[in-house]
Amino acid sequence: MSPAIGMHDRPPPAAGRAGRPALHVAIIMDGNGRWAKQRGLPRAFGHRAGVAALRRTVEGAPGLGIERLTVFGFSTENWRRPQPEISELMGLLRAYFESDLARLERDGVRVRIVGRRTGLDADILDIVERAEARTRKNDRFHLRVAFNYGGRADIVDAARKFALAVERGVARAKDLDEAMFEAGLSTAPGSAPDLIIRTSGEQRVSNFLLWECAYAELIFQDVYWPDYGPEHLKAAIADFRSRERRFGGVAADDVLAAG
Ligand code: IPE
Ligand code: IPE
Ligand code: MG
């Protein structure tokens, strides 16, 4: 018997507005510090300019056939940064949700934070939870901000959830399959992105969406995040559209040839 296939391993079935499947795009927003350094500015300025880039990108995404956007805002490893920089990043998350919530709500955007909630200050958690509650019924566009997120930590948390369910007698180890495990990730449902973009020229994953990246197309763009905008996203989508995804199978043309 073949093992159960995770939901993310199947080609996306839903038809998008333009007759194409609606896309889930994930972005590692990198390069804020170098952008600032290039200008002789403190790193904080790069992070602030990064918020403006996020705003532009969120506004441009629905017009490009994107229905879900998951952005990496703060990793479990970013706690290693100097305290003032951590405070700046926390403050920006708070400010973003405060200043943009009304517009996001009006534009039909559903917002969610993914990652570990323990470790975040109570006031930030409060703002985040209020934003999630106020936009819960929106369905036009999904914005997920990975904050205090680490791919490994998320997998461990999902494993712990399952182990606790077994301990409580509400799950059995032999029933565990990929779909069930995936449901325990903080990114569920709809965990797997179609493509993952990293800006700044770095070509690494840095603990982002480790489970979910199984069949994602990876796109590296040589632009610092504060300079990013819809035109860069458009170029990434065009690159994505030119690729053939096979999910372990064979290309459509080769199905006939093989027969
Ligand atoms: C990305 O920019 C933002 C976060 C990690 C929060 P960086 O701060 O990593 O910028 P660089 O990589 O140092 O240029
Ligand atoms: C990944 O970028 C985290 C975010 C963009 C939030 P980093 O800048 O932290 O990654 P490394 O340290 O270059 O791998
Ligand atoms: Mg970086």
Side-chain angles (χ1 to χ4, degrees):
M1 203 168 69
S2 64
I5 298 172
M7 287 176 288
H8 58 280
D9 294 335
R10 298 188 184 123
R17 272 171 284 274
R20 282 170 157 162
L23 296 177
H24 178 179
V25 175
I27 308 183
I28 302 172
M29 309 182 289
D30 197 21
N32 294 354
R34 279 163 283 168
W35 181 92
K37 192 172 182 186
Q38 216 175 39
R39 288 161 176 75
L41 297 168
R43 292 174 61 84
F45 283 71
H47 295 315
R48 288 173 210 163
V51 174
L54 176 62
R55 205 169 272 134
R56 290 194 296 273
T57 305
V58 168
E59 278 170 16
L64 295 169
I66 299 167
E67 194 177 60
R68 277 170 211 277
L69 185 67
T70 303
V71 295
F72 205 3
F74 191 88
S75 76
T76 44
E77 289 67 39
N78 288 150
W79 293 105
R80 294 176 187 154
R81 296 194 178 198
Q83 190 54 47
E85 180 163 347
I86 293 173
S87 300
E88 174 71 24
L89 291 166
M90 296 292 155
L92 286 175
L93 178 77
R94 185 190 296 122
Y96 177 71
F97 279 125
E98 278 175 348
S99 62
D100 286 46
L101 183 59
R103 188 155 35 81
L104 292 168
E105 192 179 3
R106 195 187 56 228
D107 290 349
V109 179
R110 180 170 181 176
V111 296
R112 242 181 74 194
I113 290 283
V114 296
R116 270 192 185 152
R117 296 188 182 219
T118 49
L120 293 180
D121 284 352
D123 64 322
I124 292 188
L125 212 50
D126 204 49
I127 286 160
V128 160
E129 284 172 357
R130 198 160 353 118
E132 290 178 332
R134 270 177 61 178
T135 62
R136 191 182 336 228
K137 298 223 165 69
N138 284 348
D139 201 30
R140 177 174 163 265
F141 186 76
H142 294 242
L143 172 65
R144 291 173 178 177
V145 183
F147 209 85
N148 196 19
Y149 174 86
R152 287 183 170 182
D154 214 39
I155 290 170
V156 168
D157 290 351
R160 187 180 294 114
K161 260 188 224 170
F162 183 74
L164 285 171
V166 173
E167 259 180 26
R168 288 202 312 270
V170 295
R172 293 182 305 181
K174 71 182 178 64
D175 294 334
L176 182 65
D177 62 14
E178 292 184 11
M180 195 189 290
F181 187 81
E182 186 170 291
L185 297 171
S186 76
T187 54
S191 305
D194 295 294
L195 64 154
I196 299 178
I197 296 167
R198 184 171 187 145
T199 63
S200 91
E202 304 292 3
Q203 303 197 359
R204 55 177 171 260
V205 173
S206 298
N207 205 13
F208 193 40
L209 304 179
L210 296 186
W211 168 284
E212 299 86 340
C213 75
Y215 273 100
E217 295 295 325
L218 305 178
I219 295 182
F220 300 101
Q221 291 182 291
D222 207 359
V223 50
Y224 292 143
W225 176 252
D227 287 329
Y228 206 81
E231 64 285 8
H232 298 95
L233 189 56
K234 193 175 174 186
I237 299 296
D239 182 346
F240 170 82
R241 300 261 189 228
S242 74
R243 300 183 186 188
E244 184 181 50
R245 302 177 80 191
R246 292 200 285 269
F247 298 94
V250 291
D253 291 355
D254 295 336
V255 173
L256 292 173

